[in-house]
Amino acid sequence: MLRPEDIGNTRLGSCSAMQGARPAEAGVSGIRSRGTARTQLHIEQLECVAEEALIRKKLGGMRDIVSMKFDLLRRMLIVEHEVEALGTILAGLRSLGFEPRLAPEPGAPDRVSICLLGGACAVAIASQAASWFDAQTSTIVVLALSAVAASGLTMYRAGLLALCRGHFTIEALMSIAVTGALLIGEWPEAAMISVCFAIAEWVEKNSLRRARNATAALLKALPARAAVLQAGGAWRDCAVNDIAAGEIVRVKAGECIPFDGEVVRGRSSVNQSPITGESRPVAKGKGDAVFAGTLNETGTLDMLVTGGINESTLARIVHAIEEAQLCQAPTQMLLERVVRTWLPAVLIGALGVALLPPLALDDGWLASIHQALVLLVIACPCALVISTPVTIVSGLARAARHGIVVKGGAFLERGRRLCWLALDKSGTLTHGTPVQTAFELLDAGFEQSIVRAFAASLAGRSPHPASRAIAQAARNEHIPRFAVSRFGSVRGRGVFGFIGGRRYWLGNLRLMAEIGHDSGDLRRRVEAQECAARTVVIFASDSGVLALFAVADTLRPMSRDAVARLRAIGVRTAVLTGDNPHLARAVAKQAGIDRAEGGLLPEDKLRVIETLGRGAPVGMVGDGTKDAPAFARADITFAMNAMDTDAAFDTADVALMDDDLCKLPAFIRLSKAMHATLLQNIALAVGIKAVCIGLTLGGHGSMWLAVFADTGASLIVIGNGLRLLRTRLP
């Protein structure tokens, strides 16, 4: 059973610190770097932060340990260490009284445990039936004690360890309740408490397993073997673990693609829904990227493997979700504080119910103690504890299935509060691949072909999308390029270089103003193009402006729809771009965006984000590298097309795995749905217990009512939380 101390106490630091590493595996996860391994240890006694503190104190000074992470929900210690230090780590844990063992592969529940729990349940029912039919006391006692022994020994041990260390845990309260029932001769009720607690614990563990494995199961769908091209041209069937980057693998129609790679032969349609959440097939041909876990639907593809099976985009997604599930969310932290106070209050209240009536009112001791035990079980906060992690883990898994990788429950919970969403223009609202649409020669002393050749020579050295469009247009028309010497760039303005001993400039109007080539006529020409949603690139020499290039980047088809959906749920939008203000306003008008800011350097984008964020949470969609200052200031950051860019996947709080902007309102709707579910679960847990406590204090309480208030309420909130796995996202 989850403990209140378990809620969110994972001490991970940054939740995205391990992005890009291999997915967590059972036991020793393999070599992480030379001489270093990552090991997952299951420690049954790892109940709360007190045990975590003991382990940190014991192992923290070992030089062979690189890092330690605690997953208290699963009672796991994840330690990165020098390979030869594993024996020393295990010995250190055993010296503390713990029993560490290599974590098993997550999968189906242990059948032995299920059979034992089923047997205990049957014996407990038999004990209750024997009591109803006035069977011999010895029969009732034997049946009850057998049920307690089969289902409650783990609980007793955990409760005893907690009490010895001065901790009030759920196991401690339930152990007291079972012991009290045995002492006053309520044998069937003791068995019932023990068995129902064990059933609730089993359901909770398996519900969390289901939610956690909702995404990880995709890795298990990968094929175990694949056909690999041999040196002589033949194809050989090999285990995927034996296939390395650089080899050629054949994937036939209907087969799952086992690796990330690049198509070298063949054409087909590929279903990329495990990565992007979009089930429409994507045409793939020579030179196109393909991803592990996607389904080749129609033709045969020969692909060049670009990474091992544990280095794929799918593996990185699964690992990111596993790390996210360990991160604290605000509601978890709040419940942790509440329940830590609740537990001792419950125990004190039960003692008062047991002692005050006999001492003050001369009531019977057995009746008062029985009522106290009923209240103890009713008030046990199991349902409240489990309500949050199941809901958050389900929400994270549902988002990942939709192609939205959220790096922590805190970001998913925070999404519902966004008031502003700032979007970069190129590659976000637009396709990000502008094309040259016009050319205007301004100096009649130069031939058009020479000017275009010189400009293309400079543009070919620049990474800016507008420059690439100019260079591509020149290549398409077979315009030659010249050697450029002493090439340089002016941040946010353009580039320059020497061709044939003369210096030339290629950039925006701001650059022309800085080199003294600004004029009213030039501004009018530029503004006319910008008002038509075109970017103007100016080519000049030291003596004057030579030509203008007009470049256009078309709006994505879904941009207007996405902005309309955001407005419908109360989120305002702003476009932030380094392009000129006229172009920013034109794009904003086309997409229906509320605010447009153009001509921005990275530090200017930070200023706008700070302005938008005054009193209102703000998110940002863009490039976490180029826009690092603004990304750091935004409350939530989003990366588009993250499966194509490792840097975007690693730096953003939320990674959208394709270029579908409609995933932004879907993320916010899921955040709202998760928050509503959290409130429902808290209200259900507290409400059921409040009603049952009132009935008990009014003289209508029974142990069956207590079981419903505890186990029944837990099952209700678990089922409600798991509904998020089936939530429909628009």
Side-chain angles (χ1 to χ4, degrees):
M1 185 73 66
L2 294 176
R3 287 145 299 282
E5 296 88 342
D6 293 353
I7 304 176
N9 283 290
T10 50
R11 305 295 184 268
L12 280 176
S14 172
C15 295
S16 58
M18 296 183 63
Q19 301 307 321
R22 294 182 180 180
E25 300 172 6
V28 181
S29 300
I31 303 302
R32 306 275 295 182
S33 60
R34 182 172 298 182
T36 304
R38 174 186 169 104
T39 302
Q40 295 188 61
L41 297 171
H42 178 83
I43 304 173
E44 188 63 33
Q45 300 83 10
L46 184 58
E47 300 169 6
C48 61
V49 291
E51 285 77 22
E52 177 185 334
L54 287 174
I55 294 174
R56 287 191 180 278
K57 183 177 180 180
K58 181 69 176 181
L59 304 183
M62 293 178 60
R63 290 184 298 177
D64 293 334
I65 293 180
V66 179
S67 66
M68 289 185 292
K69 302 184 188 302
F70 292 83
D71 183 353
L72 297 177
L73 288 174
R74 292 185 293 172
R75 304 186 186 187
M76 296 252 292
L77 166 63
I78 305 164
V79 57
E80 189 172 347
H81 58 90
E82 298 296 327
V83 174
E84 63 274 6
L86 180 58
T88 306
I89 293 170
L90 294 175
L93 292 171
R94 292 188 183 106
S95 70
L96 296 173
F98 299 137
E99 298 176 3
R101 57 184 176 85
L102 292 182
E105 281 283 354
D110 182 7
R111 291 190 177 184
V112 175
S113 298
I114 295 175
C115 293
L116 188 63
L117 183 56
C121 184
V123 174
I125 293 173
S127 173
Q128 184 67 69
S131 175
W132 286 337
F133 291 103
D134 295 325
Q136 292 184 355
T137 303
S138 58
T139 302
I140 299 172
V141 170
V142 170
L143 291 172
L145 291 178
S146 299
V148 171
S151 62
L153 291 182
T154 301
M155 174 192 67
Y156 259 112
R157 180 172 183 177
L160 181 60
L161 286 172
L163 290 173
C164 290
R165 292 172 177 150
H167 301 151
F168 293 106
T169 66
I170 292 174
E171 282 87 351
L173 292 186
M174 299 306 283
S175 298
I176 293 171
V178 173
T179 303
L182 293 174
L183 291 176
I184 65 173
E186 297 291 345
W187 306 100
E189 294 191 354
M192 185 169 54
I193 296 171
S194 180
V195 169
C196 288
F197 180 84
I199 291 174
E201 183 180 41
W202 182 86
V203 171
E204 289 172 8
K205 285 182 179 179
N206 284 281
S207 63
L208 276 172
R209 181 186 290 112
R210 175 186 170 188
R212 287 178 180 276
N213 293 345
T215 305
L218 295 174
L219 284 177
K220 296 187 177 181
L222 295 177
R225 306 186 70 82
V228 182
L229 181 64
Q230 303 300 298
W235 295 89
R236 184 167 65 90
D237 189 52
C238 298
V240 293
N241 290 328
D242 297 331
I243 300 173
E247 298 192 76
I248 305 294
V249 169
R250 173 163 288 178
V251 184
K252 297 179 180 179
E255 293 181 346
C256 182
I257 296 174
F259 302 97
D260 283 3
E262 180 182 322
V263 177
V264 294
R265 279 185 298 275
R267 297 193 64 82
S268 182
S269 294
V270 176
N271 184 341
Q272 298 189 145
S273 58
I275 302 291
T276 66
E278 175 55 64
S279 59
R280 288 180 298 180
V282 179
K284 297 288 184 179
K286 184 176 180 179
D288 290 332
V290 290
F291 302 94
T294 58
L295 180 65
N296 181 25
E297 293 191 338
T298 55
T300 298
L301 294 176
D302 293 345
M303 57 173 285
L304 173 69
V305 177
T306 56
I309 193 168
N310 288 325
E311 300 164 356
S312 67
T313 299
L314 181 60
R316 296 174 69 238
I317 290 172
V318 172
H319 179 67
I321 297 301
E322 288 175 344
E323 293 292 314
Q325 290 168 357
L326 298 177
C327 296
Q328 282 185 321
T331 303
Q332 288 178 301
M333 292 186 286
L334 174 62
L335 286 180
E336 176 186 2
R337 293 192 294 269
V338 170
V339 175
R340 280 182 172 174
T341 305
W342 183 328
L343 283 170
V346 166
L347 187 57
I348 293 171
L351 286 173
V353 170
L355 299 176
L356 290 179
L359 295 176
L361 303 176
D362 201 25
D363 285 354
W365 282 94
L366 289 181
S368 296
I369 293 174
H370 183 268
Q371 188 179 44
L373 295 177
V374 170
L375 287 173
L376 196 64
V377 176
I378 290 174
C380 190
C382 300
L384 194 61
V385 170
I386 191 60
S387 63
T388 306
V390 166
T391 303
I392 291 175
V393 170
S394 297
L396 293 172
R398 184 66 189 95
R401 285 181 173 181
H402 197 65
I404 306 171
V405 180
V406 187
K407 302 296 182 63
F411 303 121
L412 184 55
E413 192 172 350
R414 195 182 302 160
R416 67 183 177 85
R417 299 176 56 244
L418 286 179
C419 295
W420 277 95
L421 196 60
L423 303 104
D424 190 20
K425 180 183 75 69
S426 299
T428 301
L429 290 168
T430 62
H431 286 97
T433 53
V435 295
Q436 180 182 318
T437 58
F439 169 78
E440 184 178 2
L441 183 67
L442 300 182
D443 190 331
F446 282 79
E447 294 184 12
Q448 176 176 313
S449 59
I450 293 297
V451 171
R452 291 194 63 186
F454 283 8
S457 300
L458 280 177
R461 302 282 295 275
S462 171
H464 194 279
S467 295
R468 289 200 296 266
I470 295 171
Q472 183 61 47
R475 282 194 294 271
N476 293 342
E477 298 180 32
H478 306 289
I479 294 175
R481 289 165 63 171
F482 294 88
V484 178
S485 61
R486 288 183 280 175
F487 177 83
S489 64
V490 182
R491 187 185 181 201
R493 295 162 178 80
V495 296
F496 64 88
F498 287 78
I499 303 175
R502 295 186 62 184
R503 183 166 58 178
Y504 295 92
W505 305 81
L506 186 70
N508 55 25
L509 191 60
R510 186 185 299 181
L511 178 63
M512 296 302 110
E514 290 182 1
I515 63 176
H517 292 343
D518 192 8
S519 68
D521 179 62
L522 179 63
R523 285 185 175 272
R524 284 190 294 272
R525 291 174 183 270
V526 170
E527 287 179 6
Q529 294 286 349
E530 290 174 347
C531 290
R534 297 170 184 162
T535 299
V536 178
V537 181
I538 306 169
F539 180 64
S541 66
D542 283 337
S543 58
V545 176
L546 303 179
L548 302 181
F549 294 85
V551 173
D553 185 7
T554 57
L555 200 70
R556 292 184 185 274
M558 75 287 292
S559 294
R560 176 175 286 276
D561 185 26
V563 171
R565 293 187 188 186
L566 288 167
R567 182 180 291 110
I569 57 178
V571 179
R572 302 180 68 187
T573 51
V575 57
L576 310 183
T577 177
D579 291 331
N580 64 83
H582 295 291
L583 180 58
R585 286 193 289 271
V587 170
K589 184 177 180 180
Q590 291 178 19
I593 290 174
D594 299 295
R595 177 171 174 172
E597 297 282 348
L600 302 179
L601 297 174
E603 52 267 30
D604 298 324
K605 292 184 180 182
L606 170 61
R607 173 183 50 79
V608 175
I609 291 292
E610 289 176 338
T611 302
L612 295 175
R614 288 173 184 169
V618 59
M620 182 171 182
V621 188
D623 184 338
T625 303
K626 180 179 65 179
D627 303 323
F631 249 51
R633 172 60 182 83
D635 295 279
I636 305 179
T637 56
F638 301 83
M640 296 277 295
N641 238 351
M643 69 179 180
D644 292 336
T645 310
D646 289 349
F649 186 92
D650 293 341
T651 56
D653 301 324
V654 180
L656 310 182
M657 300 312 294
D658 59 6
D659 58 5
D660 186 1
L661 275 173
C662 290
K663 284 185 167 58
L664 294 169
F667 165 81
I668 295 172
R669 289 186 183 278
L670 179 61
S671 175
K672 291 176 182 289
M674 189 190 78
H675 180 70
T677 304
L678 285 173
L679 293 181
Q680 291 166 10
N681 281 346
I682 293 171
L684 283 168
V686 175
I688 290 172
K689 290 182 180 298
V691 170
C692 292
I693 288 174
L695 290 173
T696 301
L697 294 178
H700 303 289
S702 69
M703 193 55 70
W704 287 109
L705 182 68
V707 168
F708 169 74
D710 180 52
T711 305
S714 295
L715 297 180
I716 290 171
V717 300
I718 287 170
N720 195 40
L722 290 176
R723 284 192 309 111
L724 282 177
L725 290 174
R726 300 184 300 275
T727 298
R728 183 179 177 273
L729 298 181

